[in-house]
C-alpha cells in the first residue's frame, strides 16, 4: 500500500520559532517536533520574535509617561492598533479594542449589545462564541444537515424575530470548514441585524476584511495568529462599544473620576482599563504585516495543498473517518469542494482551512494523540475542542476526535509523518503501553524528560482547554 501522497512537496511559507525542534520519544530516540496543533496555539513567527527583541529595551508605561521609552512604547501601541485595523480592512470609524483573546473579545461584545437586543447563534460554535450568548438567554439555532439549508434557516429565524446580532464562526475549529461570511452579512443586514464573526480560526488562515465582507465585528486571538504574547482584538462598529459600560472598570478607561461619579472615556480606551499589553499588541501587528506580505492566495493555496495531501492519505486508511459539520454535504476524501458547480462553491465559500478532525476505529482519540506524541514526536489535539454541542451532534460526545491542524510553518513532511504514524499503528500496533490517568492517556512510566527551565511535568489536566 502506498502511504504517502506522491504530490509535490510543500515547504513552509514563513519561518516560525521552534521549527525542527528536537523532542524526545519514549523509545529513547528524538525526532524533530511535527507541530500539527496550530489551531490551538500557533508558533510565533520568527519576524514577530525579532520585532519584540527590538522593542523590549524600549518597553515602558504607555500614554501618560513623559520619558523617552514611554513615548516609544506609546507610539508602538497606537501604530500597532492602526496596523491591525488596516490588516482587517477596518472602516474609518471602526474601533480596534485590545483584549486578552477571542473569548475576552466576544464577552466584551456580549455586554455591548443594546439593551433588549437579541442575538442569534449556531450550535456548531466554539464555547467562546456560544457561552456568552447562552448566558444572556439568546437564541441558538441548530445547524441543518447541509450548509445551504442552514443559511435558509438563519434567514427564516432572522425574518421571524427581530434580532440585534448574528454571531457566527468564520471557520470551524473542529472541521476547518469556512462559513460564507459575506453571504451571512447580507442575510443579517437584510433583516436589520448586525453580524459578529469569531475569526479566531479564520484570520490566521484567510485574508478577511470588514469593509469587503460587510461584517460588523471581528474577534480574534494573537496566539493563533503567530503572535503568542497574550493579546486579542475586537474590531468593529464604535457606536455599541461607546454606549456600553466599560468592560474593565479602572485606570485608563476614564476621563475624570470623582468620588460619586465618573466620566468614562469613549473609543478603545473605554474597554481597555488597566495597563495595556504593549508587547502583545506589537507582536500581533507584526504578525499581521508578515501575513500580508504572503498574500491571501498563497496562504490559502499552501493550506489547501497540505489539507488535500492529508485527506488523500487518510482516505487510504479505512479505519479513519473524517468529520464534517454538514453530513448532507458528504466530504470529498480528496478535499475537493463538495459543490461541483464552481460558482456555487465560491458563493458558499465551500472550502476549509488547515484543520482536519478524524476518528480511528478501535482506538480512543486520547490514546491516539498520546501514541503520536510518544512514539513519533507529533503534536495533535484530541477531545471535544471546546465545541461540545457540535462534537455531540457528530456522535462523539463520549470519546471526542483527533484534530490535526497546520499553518504557515507546516510542510508536507509533517503531514506525511502523521499519515505514516497512523499507518504504522494500524499495521503493526504501538511499541509502548499507555494508561489512563486522571482522564488522559499517557505512556506507562513515561521516560521523556521535561527541560529544566519548565520545572517538573504538570499533572494539571482539563477536559476543555483552548480548543
Ligand atoms: N473561537 C474559535 C473558533 C477557537 O478555535 C478558539 C480557540 N480554540 C476560540 C474561539 C477561543 O480563543 P481563545 O482561547 O484564544 O480565547
Amino acid at each position: 500500500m502506498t502511504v504517502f501522497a506522491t504530490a509535490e512537496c510543500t515547504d513552509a511559507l514563513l519561518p516560525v520559532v521552534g521549527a525542527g525542534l528536537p523532542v524526545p520519544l519514549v523509545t529513547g530516540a528524538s525526532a524533530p517536533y511535527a507541530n500539527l496543533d496550530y489551531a490551538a496555539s500557533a508558533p510565533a513567527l520568527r519576524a514577530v520574535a525579532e520585532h519584540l527583541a527590538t522593542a523590549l529595551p524600549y518597553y515602558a508605561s504607555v500614554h501618560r509617561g513623559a520619558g523617552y521609552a514611554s513615548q516609544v512604547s506609546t507610539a508602538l501601541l497606537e501604530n500597532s492598533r492602526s496596523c491591525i485595523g488596516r490588516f482587517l480592512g477596518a472602516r474609518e470609524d471602526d474601533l480596534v479594542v485590545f483584549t486578552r483573546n477571542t473569548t475576552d473579545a466576544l464577552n466584551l461584545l456580549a455586554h455591548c449589545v443594546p439593551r433588549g437586543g437579541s442575538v442569534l447563534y449556531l450550535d456548531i460554535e466554539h464555547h467562546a462564541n456560544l457561552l456568552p450568548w447562552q448566558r444572556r438567554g439568546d437564541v441558538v439555532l441548530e445547524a441543518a444537515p447541509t450548509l445551504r439549508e442552514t443559511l435558509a434557516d438563519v434567514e427564516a429565524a432572522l425574518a421571524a424575530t427581530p434580532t440585534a446580532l448574528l454571531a457566527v464562526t468564520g471557520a470551524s475549529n473542529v472541521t476547518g470548514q469556512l462559513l460564507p461570511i459575506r453571504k451571512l452579512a447580507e442575510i443579517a443586514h437584510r433583516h436589520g441585524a448586525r453580524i459578529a464573526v469569531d475569526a479566531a480560526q479564520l484570520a490566521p488562515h484567510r485574508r478577511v476584511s470588514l469593509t469587503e465582507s460587510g461584517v460588523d465585528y471581528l474577534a480574534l486571538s494573537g496566539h493563533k495568529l503567530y503572535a503568542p504574547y497574550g493579546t486579542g482584538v475586537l474590531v468593529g462598529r464604535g457606536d455599541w462599544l461607546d454606549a456600553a459600560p466599560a468592560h474593565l472598570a479602572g485606570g485608563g478607561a476614564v476621563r475624570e473620576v470623582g468620588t460619586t461619579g465618573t466620566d468614562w472615556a469613549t473609543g478603545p480606551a473605554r474597554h481597555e482599563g488597566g495597563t495595556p499589553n504593549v508587547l502583545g499588541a506589537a507582536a500581533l501587528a507584526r504578525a499581521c504585516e508578515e501575513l500580508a506580505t504572503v498574500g491571501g492566495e498563497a496562504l490559502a493555496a499552501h493550506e489547501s495543498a497540505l489539507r488535500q495531501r492529508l485527506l488523500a492519505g487518510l482516505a487510504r486508511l479505512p479505519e479513519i473517518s473524517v468529520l464534517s459539520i454538514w453530513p448532507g454535504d458528504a466530504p470529498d476524501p480528496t478535499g475537493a469542494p463538495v459543490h461541483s458547480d464552481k460558482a456555487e462553491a465560491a458563493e458558499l465559500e465551500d472550502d476549509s482551512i488547515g484543520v482536519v478532525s478524524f476518528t480511528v476505529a478501535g482506538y480512543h482519540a486520547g490514546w491516539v494523540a498520546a501514541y503520536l506524541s510518544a512514539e513519533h514526536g507529533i503534536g495533535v489535539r484530541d477531545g471535544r475542542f471546546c465545541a461540545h454541542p457540535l462534537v455531540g451532534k457528530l456522535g462523539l460526545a463520549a470519546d471526542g476526535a483527533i484534530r490535526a491542524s497546520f499553518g504557515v510553518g507546516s510542510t508536507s513532511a509533517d503531514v506525511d509523518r502523521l499519515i505514516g504514524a497512523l499507518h504504522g499503528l494500524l499495521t503493526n500496533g504501538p511499541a509502548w503501553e499507555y494508561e489512563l490517568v486522571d482522564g488522559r492517556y499517557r505512556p506507562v512510566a513515561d521516560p521523556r524528560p521535561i527541560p529544566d527551565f519548565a520545572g517538573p511535568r504538570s499533572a494539571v489536566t482539563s477536559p476543555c482547554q483552548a480548543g
Side-chain angles (χ1 to χ4, degrees), residues 240-417:
W240 285 7
L241 301 182
D242 279 344
H247 186 42
L248 296 170
V254 296
R255 282 191 284 246
E256 189 64 41
V257 180
T259 48
T260 54
T262 293
D263 180 16
W264 295 94
T266 52
R270 186 180 188 86
H271 299 293
E272 292 178 354
T275 303
N277 178 358
V278 182
L279 295 175
L284 180 52
R286 187 70 190 88
C288 291
E289 273 176 358
E290 202 62 9
L291 284 187
T293 64
V294 169
E297 276 183 25
L299 214 53
H302 176 255
E303 282 188 25
S304 164
L306 292 174
R307 187 181 163 92
Q308 288 185 27
R309 191 178 186 100
L310 177 57
L311 289 172
L314 295 180
R316 290 193 207 102
L317 303 172
E319 296 86 348
I320 288 184
S321 308
V322 173
L323 310 190
S324 167
I325 297 180
W326 325 105
D329 290 339
D332 184 309
T334 65
V338 176
H339 298 89
S340 52
D341 175 340
K342 268 197 179 158
E344 185 184 37
E347 193 204 5
L348 290 180
E349 292 174 34
D350 176 14
D351 195 0
S352 305
I353 58 164
V355 172
V356 175
S357 291
F358 56 92
T359 55
V360 183
Y363 290 94
H364 189 282
W367 189 99
V368 177
Y371 155 82
L372 291 170
S373 168
E375 297 184 35
H376 296 276
I378 298 171
V380 295
R381 183 144 295 239
D382 67 277
R384 292 186 284 166
F385 317 114
C386 293
H388 292 181
L390 171 58
V391 174
K393 200 174 157 117
L394 297 174
L396 298 168
D399 290 353
I402 303 141
R403 180 182 71 190
S405 55
F406 32 84
V408 294
S410 307
T411 65
S412 44
D414 298 330
V415 167
D416 291 352
R417 277 178 57 199

Side-chain angles (χ1 to χ4, degrees), residues 73-160:
S73 285
T74 301
L76 183 63
L77 177 72
E78 293 309 328
N79 288 321
S80 298
R81 194 190 300 283
S82 314
C83 171
I84 294 164
R86 272 195 308 280
F87 177 73
L88 296 172
R91 293 154 292 240
E92 191 106 320
D93 51 354
D94 282 340
L95 300 185
V96 177
V97 181
F98 287 118
T99 62
R100 282 173 289 183
N101 47 34
T102 307
T103 304
D104 194 25
L106 290 166
N107 275 274
L108 160 60
L109 182 60
H111 89 230
C112 296
V113 176
R115 198 179 291 272
S118 153
V119 179
L120 182 70
Y121 62 100
L122 294 171
D123 63 348
I124 60 167
E125 298 292 333
H126 185 281
H127 296 166
N129 194 30
L130 192 149
L131 295 177
W133 317 118
Q134 188 187 75
R135 189 162 70 172
R136 286 169 29 101
D138 287 316
V139 181
V140 62
L141 182 69
E142 256 189 58
T146 66
L147 175 54
R148 187 167 286 291
E149 289 168 281
T150 305
L151 295 182
D153 290 352
V154 168
E155 174 116 43
L158 292 174

Side-chain angles (χ1 to χ4, degrees), residues 450-452 454-459:
I450 292 285
D452 286 347
R457 193 184 291 279
S458 164

